């Protein structure tokens, strides 16, 4: 059901664009929605669990339920655009998604289907689709750690590694919505094969899955940790991070290896398009200095040219709000304003 609260603080600057935005955030565990004001506050939020074992229409039914919830708000008639953020892969040029973590959707026409749901409820709105990395980038540039930077790389480091670009204060999703997909830049010429078909990709070294896999291959095993309730036996990247904080040499080496891969990719991106900040979010970034210290340490070896030597690497600030805020921000940045389209 709708939560009639504003769970996100308004930015200090003036509103980015007029009118409310319908924001839909689609992920493997939940489908969320909100009506987002021009200052970034959310007038209503709602969510449904992403159905497991359902067919394509069954998953879409949960999305439709989120739209229906939002349409009950008294502010529904004030919406002027819709932004959809989704787990990928996405093809924004076709409005389709094939999320790795939603097996029932392959080349699913989510943008068309959501547009139809909106129209059915009296909101025939311009709609845009963005991958979750691009949405996170839009969010962090609008209200988060990349705010005030004209050129930025934003990244999600989790079970995979994704990202997006801000160039000249504009979101740069590329023709299919996949520009900035830094996880599949190769940083190891003789590296192991990646799930994408390449070799030595950042994701194959620095994702949470890769960190844990490499640590276990080197002989690390999760140990009971009485001073960390609930972490006993954690064989994931979070468990490796806990071990690294306790000084385990293999765990520290796993994060150093990941940090080096991320540093190389961040420096390459900055050298190519002159970004001056890299913002990193996602579950692995929750490791804090365990991840950021090796990234910053290795960055000096890769960001050597004068115009990238001041490159910053900082944590994302929006957390769980990034999906909905990002969907709204992407719509605001990529769709014409109501005034210009009238």
């Amino acid at each position: 059901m709708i939560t009639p609260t504003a769970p996100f603080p308004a930015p200090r600057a003036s509103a980015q664009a007029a009118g409310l935005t319908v924001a839909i955030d689609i992920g493997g565990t939940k489908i969320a929605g909100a009506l987002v004001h021009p200052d970034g506050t959310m007038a209503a939020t709602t969510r449904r669990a992403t159905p497991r074992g359902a067919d394509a229409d069954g998953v879409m039914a949960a999305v439709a339920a989120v739209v229906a919830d939002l349409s009950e708000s008294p502010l529904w008639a004030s919406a002027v655009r819709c932004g959809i953020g989704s787990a990928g892969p996405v093809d924004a040029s076709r409005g389709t998604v094939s999320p790795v973590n939603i097996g029932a959707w392959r080349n699913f026409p989510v943008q068309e289907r959501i547009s139809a749901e909106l129209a059915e409820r009296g909101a025939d709105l311009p709609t845009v689709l963005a991958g979750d990395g691009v949405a996170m980038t839009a969010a962090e540039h609008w209200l988060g750690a990349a705010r005030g930077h004209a050129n930025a790389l934003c990244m999600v480091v989790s079970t995979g590694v994704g990202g997006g670009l801000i160039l000249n204060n504009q979101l740069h999703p590329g023709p299919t919505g996949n520009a900035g997909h830094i996880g599949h830049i190769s940083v190891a010429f003789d590296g192991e094969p990646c799930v994408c078909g390449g070799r030595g990709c950042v994701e194959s070294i620095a994702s949470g899955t890769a960190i844990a896999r490499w640590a276990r291959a080197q002989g690390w095993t999760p140990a009971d940790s009485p001073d960390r309730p609930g972490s006993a036996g954690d064989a994931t990247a979070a468990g490796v991070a806990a071990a690294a904080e306790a000084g385990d040499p293999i765990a520290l080496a796993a994060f150093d290896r990941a940090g080096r891969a991320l540093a190389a990719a961040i420096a390459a991106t900055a050298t190519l398009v002159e970004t001056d900040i890299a913002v990193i979010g996602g579950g692995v970034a929750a490791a804090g200095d365990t991840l950021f210290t090796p990234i910053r340490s290795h960055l000096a070896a890769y960001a050597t040219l004068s115009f990238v030597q001041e490159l910053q690497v900082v944590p994302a600030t929006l957390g769980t709000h990034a999906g909905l805020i990002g969907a709204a921000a992407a719509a605001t940045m990529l769709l014409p304003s109501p005034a210009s389209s009238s």
Side-chain angles (χ1 to χ4, degrees), residues 136 140 145 153-158 262-263 266 277-282 284-286 291-292 295 313-317:
M136 175 265 194
E140 290 292 334
L153 166 69
C154 297
M155 304 173 62
V156 179
V157 183
S158 186
L262 290 167
I266 289 166
I277 190 170
V279 177
I280 303 178
V284 176
L291 177 68
F292 284 91
I295 292 174
V313 179
V314 301
T317 60

Side-chain angles (χ1 to χ4, degrees), residues 34-271:
L35 298 177
V36 183
H37 282 288
D39 65 1
T41 57
M42 291 187 280
T45 60
T46 184
R47 62 186 291 167
R48 291 286 193 281
T50 303
R52 296 192 177 279
D55 62 11
D57 286 336
V59 178
M60 185 61 211
V63 180
V66 165
V67 175
D69 283 351
L70 295 178
S71 70
E72 296 173 3
S73 167
L75 295 171
W76 179 250
S78 300
V80 297
R81 66 183 74 81
C82 175
I84 306 160
S86 176
V90 307
D91 186 341
S93 66
R94 298 172 58 219
T96 61
V97 296
S98 303
V100 171
N101 50 11
I102 305 178
W105 279 6
R106 289 296 173 265
N107 296 314
F108 185 77
V110 69
Q111 185 172 347
E112 178 184 339
R113 294 289 295 272
I114 289 179
S115 293
E117 292 291 335
L118 294 170
E120 187 174 321
R121 290 167 176 79
D124 189 7
L125 305 178
T127 303
V128 72
L129 169 66
D132 51 7
V134 171
M136 175 265 194
T137 299
E140 290 292 334
H141 181 255
W142 184 20
L143 299 174
R147 189 174 179 183
H149 291 265
N151 301 285
L153 166 69
C154 297
M155 304 173 62
V156 179
V157 183
S158 186
T159 52
V161 178
L165 290 166
I166 296 289
L167 300 178
N168 296 323
N169 279 315
Q170 299 295 314
L171 188 62
H172 183 75
T176 66
N178 291 289
H181 202 338
I182 193 170
H184 296 289
I185 289 178
S186 178
V187 292
F189 181 74
D190 294 320
E192 64 183 79
C194 179
V195 293
C196 74
R199 182 175 290 276
C201 293
V202 175
E203 184 172 300
S204 70
I205 299 171
S207 70
T209 305
I211 290 169
R213 183 177 63 245
W214 186 87
R216 292 194 301 270
Q218 304 308 305
W220 174 80
T221 55
D224 291 346
S225 181
D227 60 338
R228 294 179 179 275
S231 66
D234 186 354
T236 69
V240 181
E245 289 174 18
D248 183 285
I250 295 176
L252 285 166
F255 271 89
D256 185 76
R257 180 174 179 265
R260 184 178 181 184
L262 290 167
I266 289 166
T269 302
T271 302

